[in-house]
Amino acid sequence: MALVGIDGSGKTTQAHQLAALLTAHGVPATYWQNAGGRRWLGRIARRVGRRDPQHLLGRTGLLFVESVLRWLAIARALLRSTLRRRVAVMDRYAVCQYASIRAHGGHRSEALARAFYRIFPPPDVTFLLDVDPAEAYRRIETRGTDHETMEFLSASVAAYRSLPEHPGFVVIDANGTPAEVTAAIVDHLLERYRPRPEPGAAGTVDEVPPAGPAAAGPGLARIATRSA
């Protein structure tokens, strides 16, 4: 399963939380950060007196380096998770690269990127953490490790919403607290994976319990079978 969205949407926090929650309830899961290196490239850019990665490498160079680094990260995550028979909780996935290309105005590169990433299977579930650009900007400035402009954040929101994959995303309102976002994600997983009664079978399915560490139970355990 993948968590995607703009910088400042809370992907890393929620992916760590989800991997830990699944593992604690008997579904072995591993967190994977499939970053494209923007933060690392940003540090290098500032050290050599450039404003940001795009001014360091140029738009084409940045998108190329970002695409390669993210591809390698995803390939490693999928291979190791398959060999270890663990659920891969992806912090970013291939669609993040397509959105990045669109946000940077490099639409001509998208077809090449899609061909490059075609080898990767679509996630069982893709959560789009939808956050207001102003809130994302506030979070980024608060953490103080990097910087994004409001213009780029707004362009990134538009890019995700314009993707052909967008109708298949589970859109989560990420403007709330981390606990509220986690609860929304867990609620969806419980609803998706809880056991269903056979047609005509006696009895009913138990109500989905409230989201939280004590709520996972057998519903989430079905993810292991689905993802193995």
Side-chain angles (χ1 to χ4, degrees), residues 1-4 15 18-19 22 27 29-30 32 34 78 87-93 122-127 185 189 192-193 220 223-224 226-227:
M1 55 190 68
L3 291 94
V4 304
L18 182 55
L22 289 169
V27 183
T30 302
W32 296 99
N34 303 313
L78 290 173
V87 174
V89 179
M90 300 293 205
D91 177 357
R92 305 172 180 87
Y93 202 63
D124 288 327
V125 187
T126 298
F127 292 104
I185 291 171
L189 290 177
R192 177 184 287 254
Y193 290 106
L220 288 185
I223 301 173
R226 175 75 174 269
S227 303

Side-chain angles (χ1 to χ4, degrees), residues 6-7 16 27 36 43 58 67 74-76 79-80 100-101 103 118 128 142 145 150 160 168 190-191 208 214 218 228:
I6 70 172
D7 195 13
H16 273 299
V27 183
R43 294 192 187 104
S67 295
I74 294 173
R76 177 195 62 173
L79 178 61
R80 292 188 177 181
S100 178
I101 291 170
R118 191 170 294 150
L128 173 62
T142 298
T145 58
M150 275 291 296
Y160 275 103
L190 289 171
E191 177 63 25
V208 177

Side-chain angles (χ1 to χ4, degrees), residues 135-201:
E135 173 61 18
Y137 182 86
R138 184 193 67 78
R139 294 174 183 177
I140 294 168
E141 292 300 302
T142 298
R143 74 189 182 202
T145 58
D146 56 342
H147 175 75
E148 294 290 359
T149 65
M150 275 291 296
E151 291 77 12
F152 180 72
L153 293 172
S154 297
S156 296
V157 168
Y160 275 103
R161 292 175 179 173
S162 72
L163 291 174
E165 293 86 356
H166 185 270
F169 295 158
V170 177
V171 180
I172 300 292
D173 183 354
N175 291 293
T177 66
E180 291 170 340
V181 177
T182 299
I185 291 171
V186 171
D187 280 349
H188 175 83
L189 290 177
L190 289 171
E191 177 63 25
R192 177 184 287 254
Y193 290 106
R194 69 177 177 176
R196 303 290 181 181
E198 295 296 328

